Amino acid sequence: MFDKFIKIYERTIRKMWRVHAGGALRSLKGTLVETMAEEMVSLAWKNIGGKPSRIKINKTKYPISDDKGNVYKLSQDKQIYIDNKFALSIECKAYAEVAMYKRILVDALLLKKDFPKMKFCLFQLESMLGGDYSTVVDHPKGSPSVKALEYHFPNLDIEIITLLDGERNIKKEIHKRKFYKPLRPERLEYAVKYFENTLEEYL
């Protein structure tokens, strides 16, 4: 079931081995994570018997405004709609560290004001959040820093999905052949199962 995703990952990593420009590498990693997220959501929807015509994935921007008419338009990377109902919002990252997660929490809080039943997910290739996100697939302990931030957002529940084992090391970047990391099926299975469980209520 997961061979397709492993092939996408392996093919992209091998491309990175031949690229040296930082912008091109960031683009490859970003496209990889977004592609994996969208493909896994589509697979999960298919697995639970969802009709393709009912699901839509896009990046619509939503206006966030104040009482003086100022507007900020907000979107996340993969926004999942079932029958045009905003069901799940996914932020995709090559990696996330705590300061980035803080921004993700704020974005989710702003979106949740207009879509109170929506679920949220951080979908990352590697983790820099500390704790057990990069060591245990279902990360039962999380990390102290993440828990401290989440304490101040009690109405939010963001699932954190990490695709690769091992905390990101800026001196051992995975786009270099000697620091290659394999993609384990167990992590793919966890991700797809999360998406299945999240979308099940919309059947």
Side-chain angles (χ1 to χ4, degrees):
M1 180 191 297
F2 302 119
D3 287 351
K4 171 184 177 180
F5 301 108
I6 293 173
K7 286 178 181 176
I8 291 172
Y9 170 73
E10 296 283 350
R11 185 168 62 244
T12 306
I13 286 293
R14 280 168 170 73
K15 281 184 184 177
M16 291 180 196
W17 291 346
R18 301 190 298 271
V19 175
H20 301 288
L25 286 168
R26 285 191 294 273
S27 178
L28 279 169
K29 288 180 182 178
T31 300
L32 169 63
V33 181
E34 291 194 20
T35 299
M36 297 279 273
E38 183 163 342
E39 292 286 342
M40 285 188 196
V41 168
S42 298
L43 174 62
W45 182 242
K46 178 182 177 182
N47 286 351
I48 61 176
K51 293 181 179 179
S53 60
R54 296 182 59 208
I55 189 170
K56 182 171 66 175
I57 303 174
N58 66 28
K59 198 175 180 178
T60 300
K61 288 184 177 291
Y62 291 96
I64 307 298
S65 60
D66 63 12
D67 58 358
K68 295 181 180 179
N70 298 304
V71 176
Y72 168 68
K73 292 187 176 180
L74 172 64
S75 66
Q76 292 192 310
D77 295 314
K78 294 295 174 181
Q79 298 174 169
I80 318 304
Y81 302 81
I82 307 297
D83 298 331
N84 294 316
K85 293 179 182 177
F86 201 165
L88 172 65
S89 188
I90 305 173
E91 188 71 10
C92 299
K93 296 290 183 188
Y95 69 89
E97 40 81 25
V98 176
M100 294 161 71
Y101 187 64
K102 179 175 61 177
R103 183 186 65 76
I104 292 168
L105 283 166
V106 172
D107 286 354
L109 178 67
L110 292 171
L111 284 172
K112 195 171 181 66
K113 289 181 177 180
D114 288 331
F115 304 98
K117 294 184 178 180
M118 183 172 58
K119 301 288 178 59
F120 295 91
C121 172
L122 165 59
F123 188 89
Q124 58 179 356
L125 188 60
E126 293 184 281
S127 177
M128 290 186 76
L129 295 171
D132 61 1
Y133 296 106
S134 63
T135 58
V136 185
V137 174
D138 59 352
H139 52 81
K141 294 181 180 178
S143 86
S145 298
V146 167
K147 287 182 179 297
L149 286 174
E150 290 177 340
Y151 174 81
H152 297 279
F153 296 82
N155 295 322
L156 285 179
D157 182 16
I158 299 182
E159 175 63 37
I160 298 176
I161 292 173
T162 307
L163 294 180
L164 298 179
D165 291 335
E167 197 84 351
R168 177 179 182 256
N169 186 332
I170 59 174
K171 294 182 179 179
K172 296 181 179 181
E173 294 280 19
I174 60 170
H175 59 257
K176 297 177 181 177
R177 187 191 299 260
K178 62 182 176 180
F179 301 127
Y180 163 83
K181 288 182 180 181
L183 177 58
R184 290 201 295 129
E186 292 88 348
R187 288 193 174 272
L188 298 172
E189 183 179 13
Y190 180 86
V192 172
K193 184 59 66 176
Y194 165 75
F195 293 136
E196 288 175 358
N197 293 338
T198 298
L199 299 177
E200 217 168 23
E201 65 182 274
Y202 293 92
L203 287 177

